[in-house]
Amino acid sequence: MSTTLEPLESLAPTLSVRQVLMLERVLAGEPEVVAGASQLDRAVRWVHVAEAADVGVMLSGGEMVLTTGVLLAGDDDKQAEYIRSLHRAEAAAVVLGLGRAFPAPPDVMRRAAERCGLPMVVLHRPFPFAELTEEVQARLVRRKFAAVSMSEAVRTALTGLITAGAPLQRMLDEIAHHSGCPVVVTNLAHRVLATAGERSAVDDVLRDWERIARQAGGNEGDGWIRAELGGRGERWGQIMLCGYRGDAATGRLLADRAAEALVLHRMLGGTSAHTWEEQSAQSLLTDLVSGVVPARQLLPRARAAGLPVNRRTFVPLVVRDGDPAELDRVLRLLGLPGIVAELADGATAVLLSLARDQDATVLTANFAARLSRTVVAAADPRTAWDDVPTGMREARHVADAVASGALDLPAVVRLKDVHLRGLVRLLRDDPHVQSFAERELDGLLCGTGDDLLAVLRTYLATGRNKSRTAQLHHVSRPALYRRLEAIQGRLGVDLDDFEQAASVHIALLAHDAQQG
């Protein structure tokens, strides 16, 4: 769902002094800025015609005051006080129409305005103030209405996505579409949870994220506009528009609408800030495993997510049947920097980031020892970030190779531990291997051979140890002998012959890999 809007730059609910001076009707009066030229980007909230010397008491801030100065002529003190009162009232600017009272710009008023930093403009040609007032007021009203319309359009678009069950990323894409700049969601520690916007622009932001995060409370006039995320008295994050090019007030309105929608999305979806952190880690590690995105492009995302990346040793792990929340708790308990994310098929990826002087082998073993009933597959440590994707795929391969339940595995399984099983796993999609497995196991692949297939798998995995096989299947040795005879009869092999047993074993590994 998307709503087409006017360019956001045109929706600012105010005009600047500079924009007012560029209006065609104003240009006809030949305006000249005689003081405060550096303040022409001040916002004009309203236009007020006033000749009273104490005009400041009538203002509330942001007004452009129009005057002929008829009550100020000939009195330097009144002229200076007039400018000071406008400054105290936080007027946007003062416009003086030259004429009988002041045929030329008065030095006293000009010097006072320069000292106060108040833009002072003189009109060299007679000009009906009513026309300027009408023009500016009409434009301000239209802009305010447009800003409100934009706000409602954004709210409607985001609410539609929420009711349709859209994921967080789709919500952020919509916000980035309306803002025209990168959008970043962080937790309270300024760690990036999610991003949206043009990929190259987002990467530029993340590349400099440490500095941006330190200055997160800086000047929103530079286009860095943020809104807090939270509810029920609890803050849990923020959304930031990064380098927003439109008016700050419009950007603030957009950021507020976005924050409201994200809080509602979290409440209705039953998610939490922690879940968003998991989604961020999952996206990063999935991209690392797939290799679709070059590792160098993922480095800013990893750094912004809080993972130490400078002069580190990276240890890629994949844990079978592990609970991501438990793995994250163990990392915190051991004080190991890393990120955790659930992958497909019951596997969870873990990427440790260790200091160069830490023993990666010992720390990986300590991590595995804290887990229960899980298989921890590890790749060799990597010292270069560009090598991390290869390491993640190696760990995933090792985890897949032992997924069928190989016996007597070490606490941390590495490539050297999966031996033939690992090679067969790599070749499982080869048509020749598939044909070989079906040919060798043909007698047991019918529906009635499942029990015998299980016995054969255990018998070969235990190194053809009959006692151990009988014990694991809870049968007597005579009963096991009868089953082994049935297996040999169906396959037409002699399992006491090493070569024939090896051939069947390889076929069984290939079959299990294909099924897995």
Side-chain angles (χ1 to χ4, degrees):
M1 179 177 179
S2 178
T3 304
T4 302
L5 302 174
E6 299 179 43
L8 290 177
E9 291 84 346
S10 68
L11 296 178
T14 60
L15 290 167
S16 68
V17 175
R18 191 187 310 277
Q19 289 173 317
V20 171
L21 297 181
M22 293 302 294
L23 296 177
E24 186 175 349
R25 291 189 181 184
V26 179
L27 290 173
E30 297 182 8
E32 178 189 359
V33 179
V34 297
S38 63
Q39 301 296 317
L40 295 184
D41 290 322
R42 282 185 174 185
V44 176
R45 188 182 58 82
W46 208 242
V47 177
H48 188 69
V49 180
E51 299 291 353
D54 58 348
V55 63
V57 299
M58 307 175 188
L59 307 179
S60 58
E63 294 90 351
M64 174 179 277
V65 177
L66 311 180
T67 183
T68 62
V70 65
L71 300 181
L72 304 174
D75 191 328
D76 291 353
D77 291 339
K78 281 187 177 181
Q79 293 173 28
E81 178 56 28
Y82 183 83
I83 295 297
R84 288 194 293 267
S85 69
L86 293 180
H87 172 63
R88 289 193 296 269
E90 298 182 350
V94 58
V95 178
L96 174 66
L98 300 181
R100 290 193 305 272
F102 292 103
D107 285 341
V108 172
M109 294 180 69
R110 181 184 58 78
R111 288 195 300 269
E114 193 66 51
R115 284 195 299 270
C116 293
L118 175 71
M120 179 176 174
V121 181
V122 297
L123 301 175
H124 287 276
R125 295 177 61 87
F127 184 88
F129 285 168
E131 290 186 11
L132 174 58
T133 314
E134 179 184 11
E135 174 80 8
V136 174
Q137 317 298 45
R139 286 176 178 264
L140 289 174
V141 169
R142 286 198 300 270
R143 283 169 173 258
K144 289 180 179 179
F145 178 76
V148 172
S149 297
M150 180 276 294
S151 173
E152 289 306 310
V154 171
R155 176 183 278 135
T156 299
L158 295 178
T159 301
L161 290 175
I162 293 172
T163 55
L168 171 65
Q169 189 59 55
R170 182 67 186 88
M171 299 278 294
L172 295 181
D173 289 341
E174 186 74 11
I175 295 167
H177 164 72
H178 289 305
S179 66
C181 68
V183 175
V184 176
V185 174
T186 73
N187 62 14
L188 293 180
H190 302 298
R191 290 191 176 183
V192 174
L193 305 182
T195 63
E198 184 182 347
R199 190 71 261 164
S200 60
V202 171
D203 287 345
D204 286 343
V205 169
L206 297 184
R207 196 171 291 113
D208 200 25
W209 184 250
E210 291 182 6
R211 180 187 63 81
I212 292 172
R214 287 196 301 269
Q215 299 176 354
N219 183 11
E220 291 193 348
D222 295 333
W224 302 92
I225 302 174
R226 63 192 180 112
E228 300 295 337
L229 300 176
R232 300 175 182 173
E234 177 188 10
R235 289 173 54 247
W236 43 267
Q238 68 178 9
I239 180 171
M240 182 179 290
L241 308 185
C242 303
Y244 176 73
R245 295 187 299 273
D247 175 80
T250 305
R252 161 56 48 200
L253 196 61
L254 179 59
D256 288 343
R257 294 294 84 78
E260 291 173 2
L262 293 184
V263 171
L264 183 61
H265 179 272
R266 174 188 170 187
M267 292 173 59
L268 295 182
T271 60
S272 64
H274 183 66
T275 301
W276 286 3
E277 290 182 7
E278 291 175 352
Q279 292 175 0
S280 174
Q282 183 179 41
S283 173
L284 174 60
L285 289 184
T286 298
D287 286 345
L288 280 170
V289 172
S290 68
V292 173
V293 182
R296 184 57 52 184
Q297 293 183 20
L298 297 174
L299 186 59
R301 287 170 56 187
R303 182 183 290 111
L307 184 73
V309 295
N310 295 330
R311 297 186 58 78
R312 308 292 289 186
T313 297
F314 302 101
V315 183
L317 307 174
V318 172
V319 181
R320 274 286 170 191
D321 303 319
D323 177 9
E326 179 191 1
L327 300 181
D328 191 58
R329 284 195 299 271
V330 171
L331 286 183
R332 296 176 188 275
L333 179 65
L334 297 176
L336 298 177
I339 51 178
V340 179
E342 187 173 6
L343 303 178
D345 304 325
T348 302
V350 180
L351 180 60
L352 301 181
S353 174
L354 307 177
R356 291 283 176 87
D357 59 354
Q358 291 181 295
D359 191 324
T361 301
V362 171
L363 291 177
T364 302
N366 290 345
F367 173 73
R370 295 275 182 167
L371 306 178
S372 58
R373 300 183 301 279
T374 58
V375 174
V376 177
D380 291 334
R382 264 65 177 175
T383 56
W385 174 259
D386 287 346
D387 295 335
V388 170
T390 303
M392 293 301 307
R393 289 191 289 273
E394 178 184 315
R396 182 65 188 268
H397 163 62
V398 173
D400 287 345
V402 299
S404 58
L407 303 177
D408 301 324
L409 291 171
V412 178
V413 186
R414 304 183 187 277
L415 192 59
K416 64 182 179 61
D417 299 315
V418 295
H419 305 295
L420 179 62
R421 186 184 299 273
L423 175 63
V424 171
R425 190 81 183 184
L426 286 176
L427 300 175
R428 63 181 174 177
D429 294 326
D430 187 294
H432 295 91
V433 174
Q434 294 173 352
S435 175
F436 169 76
E438 291 182 5
R439 184 172 62 252
E440 289 290 299
L441 301 175
D442 182 57
L444 296 179
L445 295 181
C446 59
T448 60
D450 289 347
D451 290 343
L452 295 179
L453 198 64
V455 170
L456 175 62
R457 183 179 294 110
T458 304
Y459 180 61
L460 295 174
T462 58
R464 296 183 293 174
N465 186 319
K466 294 184 176 64
S467 297
R468 179 65 173 151
T469 301
Q471 181 182 21
L472 290 173
H473 283 271
H474 307 290
V475 296
S476 64
R477 287 178 65 101
L480 175 66
Y481 294 155
R482 288 193 295 272
R483 295 185 186 186
L484 291 176
E485 290 173 1
I487 290 171
Q488 293 180 108
R490 288 197 181 194
L491 298 182
V493 298
D494 179 4
L495 292 179
D496 289 329
D497 181 273
F498 177 79
E499 184 174 340
Q500 294 184 50
S503 179
V504 172
H505 193 185
I506 293 172
L508 186 57
L509 291 176
H511 170 74
D512 289 345
Q514 292 158 18
Q515 297 302 309

